[in-house]
């Protein structure tokens, strides 16, 4: 592990960095990305969107590089460590609420809106008679208007079940890597992280195969009514989070190879592992409520 030593800051001290350009650069990148996305939705070229994303990538690389250098220089006190932990905890909580809203949309459409429309709900009997008296459909559905035409449902077995096994295995490998870090075993740490990164990107690749099959052979698209939109909204955002988590763990692997972590000081690794376990748990909910039921 790392052999560099520094005089540790006092327990109550708080490191205040020098003026940094990254916050304003990040704000500009977000603004340009938003404008580029709006232009893309209105039929314009995606050039502005790509420029905004490029600025954001440069900002993230530069800002995180600064934080890593400060950490390696021994500038962070235990108080800073607690701040980082609280910050990551609240970030993951915000992500929990993010997915809770999407699961709520699925629950509302499936367990409230459909019974109202097909007349099986005692609380709103007139909705069926006044709006869609001929609607007699159960989940999964593309709605009374049959938006997007007929489609096939994505079943739980096959690629979804394989991806579940892959993601659960990746949770085990990242935990094994953490055990290696705590024991000062860099080989176990690096092997565990390499396996986790490989499994993470394999998950994303198989999900891309699943999406291609859905669009080309099942007519299951974002335009396939409420089922298609909730399916791709939930699985797509989760896939984006898996991609982000795999990139984070790739950085942790590179830092581990460089000997940045010690059994006593390794919160960056812990933060990435927390995020990865969160991604695992969300996928279990997706597999049960989106694919299985």
């Amino acid at each position: 592990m790392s052999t560099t030593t520094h005089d540790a800051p006092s327990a109550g001290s708080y490191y205040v960095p020098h003026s940094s350009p990254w916050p304003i650069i990040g704000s500009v990148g977000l603004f340009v990305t938003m404008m580029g996305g709006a232009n893309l939705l209105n039929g314009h070229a995606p050039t502005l969107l790509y420029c905004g994303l490029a600025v954001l990538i440069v900002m993230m690389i530069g800002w995180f590089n600064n934080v890593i250098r400060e950490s390696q220089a021994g500038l962070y006190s235990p108080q800073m460590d607690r701040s980082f932990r609280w910050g990551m905890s609240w970030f993951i909580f915000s992500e929990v609420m993010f997915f809770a809203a999407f699961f709520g949309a699925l629950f509302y459409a499936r367990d409230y809106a459909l019974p109202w429309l097909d007349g099986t709900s005692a609380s709103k009997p007139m909705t069926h008679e006044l709006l869609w008296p001929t609607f007699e459909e159960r989940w999964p559905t593309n709605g009374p208007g049959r938006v997007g035409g007929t489609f096939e449902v994505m079943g739980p077995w096959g690629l979804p079940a394989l991806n579940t096994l892959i993601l659960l295995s990746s949770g085990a490998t990242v935990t094994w890597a953490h055990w290696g870090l705590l024991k000062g075993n860099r080989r176990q740490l690096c092997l565990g992280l390499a396996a986790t990164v490989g499994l993470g990107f394999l998950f994303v690749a198989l999900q891309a195969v699943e999406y291609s099959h859905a669009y080309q052979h099942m007519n299951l698209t974002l335009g396939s009514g409420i089922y298609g939109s909730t399916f791709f909204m939930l699985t797509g955002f989760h896939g984006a989070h898996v991609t982000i988590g795999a990139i984070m763990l790739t950085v942790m692997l590179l830092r581990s190879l460089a000997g940045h972590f010690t059994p006593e000081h390794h919160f960056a690794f812990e933060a990435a592992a927390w995020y990865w376990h969160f991604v695992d748990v969300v996928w279990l909910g997706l597999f049960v409520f989106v694919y299985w039921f």
Side-chain angles (χ1 to χ4, degrees):
M1 313 307 277
S2 177
T3 58
T4 305
T5 58
H6 301 278
D7 293 333
S10 60
S13 65
Y14 203 92
Y15 172 69
V16 179
H18 298 291
S19 58
S20 171
W22 300 121
I24 187 64
I25 292 175
S27 299
V28 171
L30 283 172
F31 179 77
V32 174
T33 300
M34 179 191 71
M35 295 299 295
N39 284 341
L40 183 64
L41 292 175
N42 284 279
H44 297 284
T47 306
L48 195 61
L49 175 65
Y50 293 155
C51 290
L53 291 174
V55 172
L56 287 176
I57 291 171
V58 170
M59 178 273 297
M60 293 181 69
I61 293 174
W63 202 342
F64 278 98
N65 182 59
N66 285 358
V67 173
I68 291 170
R69 289 179 181 272
E70 291 164 358
S71 176
Q72 289 303 107
L75 299 175
Y76 294 158
S77 66
Q79 174 63 31
M80 286 290 292
D81 186 72
R82 287 191 292 272
S83 296
F84 283 135
R85 291 177 184 275
W86 274 109
M88 192 65 188
S89 298
W90 282 113
F91 170 69
I92 291 177
F93 176 76
S94 72
E95 293 290 283
V96 170
M97 295 296 100
F98 180 85
F99 277 99
F102 287 165
F103 276 110
L106 174 66
F107 178 76
Y108 179 86
R110 189 168 62 188
D111 295 329
Y112 283 92
L114 281 180
W116 292 342
L117 290 172
D118 67 14
T120 58
S121 173
S123 62
K124 296 185 182 295
M126 295 302 295
T127 304
H128 174 69
E129 296 298 330
L130 295 177
L131 293 180
W132 298 97
T134 60
F135 181 63
E136 297 179 355
E137 196 161 353
R138 296 292 186 272
W139 190 265
T141 180
N142 50 0
R146 301 192 182 280
V147 178
T150 58
F151 62 90
E152 294 181 46
V153 177
M154 186 66 70
W157 312 119
L159 279 182
L162 178 59
N163 263 348
T164 302
L165 177 62
I166 289 170
L167 211 54
L168 291 178
S169 299
S170 72
T173 55
V174 77
T175 301
W176 185 64
H178 193 192
W179 290 346
L181 175 56
L182 294 176
K183 294 185 297 184
N185 187 337
R186 189 189 298 178
R187 182 175 183 273
Q188 180 176 330
L189 167 64
C190 295
L191 287 176
L193 276 174
T196 307
V197 169
L199 290 170
F201 283 116
L202 177 60
F203 176 95
V204 175
L206 290 179
Q207 191 167 55
V209 172
E210 178 184 87
Y211 279 13
S212 176
H213 180 73
Y215 265 74
Q216 296 180 13
H217 303 289
M218 302 174 66
N219 195 34
L220 177 58
T221 70
L222 272 168
S224 300
I226 188 63
Y227 175 77
S229 60
T230 53
F231 174 82
F232 284 103
M233 177 177 65
L234 280 159
T235 59
F237 273 109
H238 177 267
H241 282 71
V242 173
T243 304
I244 293 169
I247 293 172
M248 290 168 61
L249 290 170
T250 301
V251 175
M252 296 306 108
L253 174 59
L254 295 175
R255 293 191 63 189
S256 298
L257 291 170
H260 283 191
F261 301 127
T262 68
E264 296 78 23
H265 301 287
H266 56 266
F267 176 66
F269 172 88
E270 283 188 277
W274 290 359
Y275 187 85
W276 195 252
H277 288 307
F278 158 73
V279 167
D280 285 348
V281 172
V282 170
W283 176 256
L284 288 177
L286 281 171
F287 181 74
V288 172
F289 294 108
V290 175
Y291 288 96
W292 198 345
F293 290 163

